[in-house]
Amino acid sequence: MEQDQEELVALIFGDNPPENWKDNPEFSLYLSELGSHSVERISSEPERVAGELHHLQQQTRDLAASNYKTFIQTSNCSKEIFQEFANTEQHLEKLIEKLPDFTEKCTQFQTVAGD
């Protein structure tokens, strides 16, 4: 069975088969499906695949167009979140810069208060 699949892949793709095709169960299923078709059906396969590709591309375009507003809102939210993280990072850097001086003053206060 595996030898038959390798021969079929070699016939279809020549020396450039898809990467990891042996690990892809859907690819193996497709090869099995091809093996069960008539010559006429197999000869029309490129047109069928091209039509399916066109249909999927159109669906993708339609989906992108219908969700454009959501995409823009998500993009704006991401931008705002990034800006807030940048602000937080700046505040933390300032805090870290001031911590040694604050620690020193606390130590001095503790010493004075202890006397």
Side-chain angles (χ1 to χ4, degrees):
M1 176 76 171
E2 188 173 322
Q3 180 65 29
D4 293 339
Q5 285 186 344
E6 288 181 15
E7 290 175 11
L8 183 57
V9 168
L11 283 172
I12 296 170
F13 296 103
D15 293 333
N16 299 314
E19 287 186 31
N20 302 323
W21 68 268
K22 291 181 182 180
D23 300 329
N24 185 340
E26 290 180 20
F27 194 83
S28 295
L29 181 65
Y30 180 67
L31 289 177
S32 297
E33 188 178 310
L34 276 179
S36 68
H37 292 313
S38 66
V39 173
E40 292 81 24
R41 171 73 164 87
I42 291 174
S43 64
S44 68
E45 189 67 5
E47 292 84 21
R48 187 194 71 77
V49 170
E52 187 174 332
L53 175 62
H54 177 73
H55 177 71
L56 290 172
Q57 288 172 332
Q58 185 62 43
Q59 280 183 323
T60 302
R61 284 190 291 273
D62 293 345
L63 185 62
S66 66
N67 290 307
Y68 181 75
K69 184 177 179 181
T70 303
F71 170 76
I72 295 299
Q73 289 173 338
T74 302
S75 177
N76 288 340
C77 286
S78 296
K79 181 181 176 183
E80 288 176 24
I81 289 169
F82 177 78
Q83 288 172 342
E84 288 299 320
F85 274 122
N87 288 339
T88 301
E89 186 177 21
Q90 288 175 353
H91 290 296
L92 284 172
E93 287 173 1
K94 289 178 183 176
L95 178 64
I96 289 171
E97 287 175 16
K98 293 179 180 182
L99 275 177
D101 187 47
F102 179 71
T103 303
E104 176 68 29
K105 288 185 180 186
C106 285
T107 302
Q108 287 174 1
F109 175 77
Q110 188 177 17
T111 302
V112 169
D115 290 337

